[in-house]
Amino acid sequence: MRLVIIGCGGFIGSHLLDRLLADETVSVRGWDPQVRKITRHLDNPRLRLHRHPVHEPGRQDELRDAVRWADAVINLAAICNPAEYNTHPIEVIRAGFLDVHPLVELCAAERTWLISFSTSEVYGRTLAGYLPGNTYDDPDLYELDEDETPLIMGPVRNQRWTYACAKQMLERYIYAYHHEHGLPFTIVRPLNFFGPRMDYLPGRDGEGVPRVLACFMNALIEGRPLQLVDGGRRHRTIVSIHEAVDALLLMLARPERAQNQFFNIGNRDNEVTIAELADLMRHCYAEITGDPGYRDHPIEVIDGERFYGAGYEDCDRRMPKLDRARTLLGWTPRIGLREILLETMSSYHDQYAKSPTRP
Ligand code: UGA
């Protein structure tokens, strides 16, 4: 199998390469300026890496060649971090839509299957979340169905939604090319993939505010309070990166089932509020370090706009319907949240808590 992977050096790309390159029949042409997470693959002759952005001017011929050569193109390019959406909205819109829309046109011209990673954020906030009382009594008002659920975002001044809008525009652009020019596509909507290498830790291998797991890990390692944004009332469902990659491999193995579909990829059984996640992570870290004191590690509440800056708003609940992935791909995630956290937190602990660069 011949694959082009845009953004192959990121969290999802690195896990995907681990699995794909283990199969000697797979060859990959990858694009990514960042290679820190994939150094173990750099000498692999079946990986041809382009260490520049996919939209770099004057280099579209090599991309066209690769798209023509490939059985499928996987798009993972994006700035996927809520701290950036309201602080660097132009870059977020560029990375999510403008830089990659020519790729859609190339895939359509070559009739190459485009598998594009979107986001659960395209659903925005749930209908239940907008109703007075916010009770979630009726699953029809909050469960997320790929083809039925309306996509509801807040006002333009709330720039949290730049990422969701850019990704929604890309989905619509892909679907339009499918409709008008026969582009074969698959849209994947990830719901909080967790695993080793998912983010940086500020002050060590990156700057700014990473996603919640890395924020809480940083606080645990540095001995600072875990910060619960707006009290940690929001819900997330969390799925193991390994099972998410399983889903993608099933798609690649069954194009006739995966093509021209939208798929939620998440785990309904692993739903938590962020406050519950904080508590679970304290207990997991006590187990990893052998220090029961972490169970009572301090937690503090912080206002959303103080933490992320003006224009922050949050998705209230992300409960995916997964019938399509189950029936078409035979995919059902099984790894429980505690197991996911223990694996991910142990890898962070090994990588950072023992690091000599610790401030
Ligand atoms: C992000 C992306 O925007 C999604 O596209 C992506 O699907 C998702 O990550 C993912 O990892 O799959 P989100 O879940 O909002 O979405 O990202 P986080 O930064 O991990 O935030 C989760 C929740 O934790 C939010 O309610 C946030 O306010 C809260 N949080 C974050 C805290 O309470 N404390 C922190 O220190 C950091």
Side-chain angles (χ1 to χ4, degrees):
M1 188 167 29
R2 296 180 299 209
L3 297 170
V4 166
I5 306 181
I6 310 301
C8 64
F11 163 54
I12 300 173
S14 72
H15 285 273
L16 197 51
L17 283 183
D18 289 352
R19 298 281 292 280
L20 287 170
L21 293 174
D23 177 345
E24 301 219 329
T25 66
V26 174
S27 295
V28 176
R29 291 193 195 171
W31 265 257
D32 209 316
Q34 308 289 338
V35 297
R36 190 170 48 84
K37 296 182 181 180
I38 56 170
T39 47
R40 77 191 79 87
H41 297 303
L42 295 181
D43 293 332
N44 190 318
R46 285 182 289 110
L47 172 65
R48 186 162 146 198
L49 192 62
H50 301 262
R51 294 176 65 165
H52 57 81
V54 68
H55 59 282
E56 190 152 288
R59 306 189 82 156
Q60 292 306 294
D61 284 351
E62 61 191 17
L63 183 63
R64 182 182 296 277
D65 283 349
V67 168
R68 191 172 293 154
W69 162 87
D71 298 310
V73 172
I74 300 171
N75 172 38
L76 296 164
I79 297 175
C80 177
N81 178 351
E84 302 291 318
Y85 306 161
N86 57 326
T87 53
H88 299 99
I90 296 174
E91 278 175 47
V92 167
I93 292 168
R94 277 190 198 287
F97 179 69
L98 293 173
D99 293 348
V100 285
H101 85 275
L103 182 71
V104 180
E105 294 155 20
L106 276 181
C107 288
E110 301 298 334
R111 286 287 172 107
T112 304
W113 180 17
L114 174 59
I115 303 173
S116 193
F117 274 68
S118 185
T119 171
S120 54
E121 296 221 353
V122 295
Y123 294 111
R125 285 175 56 186
T126 68
L127 283 165
Y130 269 107
L131 292 176
N134 202 350
T135 53
Y136 301 103
D137 287 336
D138 181 355
D140 285 346
L141 298 183
Y142 67 84
E143 288 192 348
L144 308 174
D145 179 282
E146 292 96 334
D147 284 340
E148 300 294 332
T149 302
L151 312 179
I152 308 173
M153 272 145 232
V156 173
R157 287 184 200 279
N158 290 356
Q159 298 207 75
R160 159 63 185 242
W161 305 110
T162 52
Y163 177 67
C165 270
K167 284 293 200 181
Q168 186 189 147
M169 191 62 208
L170 192 68
E171 288 196 18
R172 292 190 186 277
Y173 202 61
I174 291 169
Y175 190 70
Y177 265 90
H178 165 69
H179 182 71
E180 291 191 35
H181 298 285
L183 168 68
F185 78 94
T186 302
I187 301 284
V188 180
R189 293 180 180 157
L191 292 106
N192 293 80
F193 297 178
F194 272 32
R197 307 194 286 275
M198 77 176 280
D199 264 323
Y200 59 90
L201 287 198
R204 292 167 187 262
D205 50 2
E207 291 305 331
V209 181
R211 280 170 298 173
V212 66
L213 178 116
C215 286
F216 287 172
M217 270 317 290
N218 205 29
L220 288 165
I221 292 171
E222 298 297 335
R224 288 199 301 269
L226 276 60
Q227 295 186 300
L228 285 185
V229 173
D230 294 330
R233 289 169 290 134
R234 305 306 188 187
H235 297 236
R236 296 292 186 268
T237 50
I238 290 161
V239 65
S240 158
I241 183 65
H242 308 302
E243 293 187 314
V245 169
D246 288 342
L248 194 75
L249 297 184
L250 287 165
M251 291 175 202
L252 291 170
R254 306 290 296 272
E256 73 287 357
R257 290 179 166 236
Q259 281 183 1
N260 309 328
Q261 299 287 354
F262 297 76
F263 288 101
N264 288 334
I265 297 298
N267 187 333
R268 294 171 59 90
D269 297 333
N270 289 340
E271 186 178 39
V272 273
T273 64
I274 300 302
E276 289 164 348
L277 177 70
D279 193 44
L280 193 52
M281 284 184 64
R282 292 194 303 184
H283 281 78
C284 287
Y285 205 52
E287 197 172 320
I288 290 165
T289 56
D291 178 351
Y294 279 109
R295 288 187 208 138
D296 301 312
H297 193 88
I299 289 181
E300 67 183 23
V301 169
I302 183 164
D303 174 75
E305 293 220 338
R306 205 173 135 223
F307 189 79
Y308 286 110
Y312 179 71
E313 197 184 338
D314 205 353
C315 304
D316 53 319
R317 191 166 182 185
R318 295 180 183 156
M319 174 56 73
K321 285 197 178 170
L322 298 171
D323 309 59
R324 181 162 303 154
R326 192 186 65 247
T327 52
L328 289 181
L329 307 174
W331 181 80
T332 304
R334 294 201 169 78
I335 304 179
L337 182 54
R338 204 170 155 279
E339 191 179 331
I340 296 171
L341 290 178
L342 284 173
E343 184 203 2
T344 310
M345 293 176 71
S346 297
S347 77
Y348 270 79
H349 179 70
D350 292 346
Q351 187 178 349
Y352 299 102
K354 303 168 183 169
S355 150
T357 60
R358 187 173 176 175

